[in-house]
Amino acid sequence: LGCGGPVLLRFRISALALASQSGDRGCRTAPCTELAKPLLLRDLPAPPLQPHQELNVCPLLLRVYVGIHFCGLIFADILACRGLYQDRHTPPFTPGTEPLGSVMETGENVSAVKEGNRVISVTGSKAVAAECVVDEKVRTEHLFSQITEEFHLSVQGFSPTFPLFILPLPPRETVLVMAGAWATGLAIIDLAVNMFQAKVTTAAGSDPKHELALTSGSSHRVNYNQGSLREEVKALTGDRGVNVAIGGDIFKAALQSLAWEGRIVVMGFARGKIPSIPTNLLLLKNVSAMGVYWGQYQQEDFPLFSSTISSALQYCQEKKIHPHIGAVFKLEEVDEAFNHVLQRKSTGKVIISMK
């Protein structure tokens, strides 16, 4: 490995005792101590690097101490702190699923990474903190020199790329992207236009967000607060409809906007309302509906998970796609970051900086 090159870690966060075995080093974190309440900054003892005795039975377990530089904020973090996410966490817990940082220290049996290597991964929690200990197998990926652009292509940046790789998406198909100015929407537009030569229509609720989506490569825009999404899409596609719709919040209208044998991809529900599928609409146009719970692929199909991340990182390094960072908040501003997203002010990726 080249020193300092980012590495993709396949890991899970361990339940760690707070008593530190790493000297007097402390760790600043923003735990959720009570659901639906503000996060409170705390300085906790650094978690121990040495494995617990019960972990010694598995020789593949590795432990790596990561100093976190940035953590991407996703809507699931906010839902988790309100007790509304499908993966429930019991307080106290630290939110944050997409850390990027540098290896500070490794266990005796770790050989795949070394001190100073930059690492990127997806976790279930724990990343809104200055440091964390990770374990499990380490898988190396492409090495790059840049750290800022790569990072925010994690869960919300990478997850929209996933359906584009597995649908499949033939060149020059038409794609409807809901919430096109958020991190997920902008990443889909960027990848669909620049790597799959797709013609993208963006659905958003305000003109400024439309302008950002158009700048990112969208060909057309539809304001779903000012008219019928279905009728607008029909007019733009010569009454055919779009081949693919990606999103979740305006599901029925998007489903009605599909062409014959169209595909609709469900990735989340940022407004909190989970719609039902009118199955007769699937039948009438031979439509396919698929869900993408992207993070679960880390456990179920890690080779596909990691190859998707590799491809997105490579496209970014080659300047074929151009991720958009909308806002950066300091760790002590984490509640302001949450409110920024909840009030629908965010565009592009929102990042928590530990620096």
Side-chain angles (χ1 to χ4, degrees), residues 288-307:
S288 301
M290 66 176 293
V292 176
Y293 186 14
W294 178 76
Q296 191 63 24
Y297 275 87
Q298 184 171 224
Q299 302 299 323
E300 302 293 340
D301 191 346
F302 186 70
L304 182 58
F305 174 87
S306 64
S307 66

Side-chain angles (χ1 to χ4, degrees), residues 142 144 309-320:
H142 298 283
F144 302 99
I309 295 180
S310 269
S311 296
L313 287 172
Q314 182 176 346
Y315 295 156
C316 182
Q317 177 72 6
E318 294 171 352
K319 307 299 182 183
K320 293 178 179 178

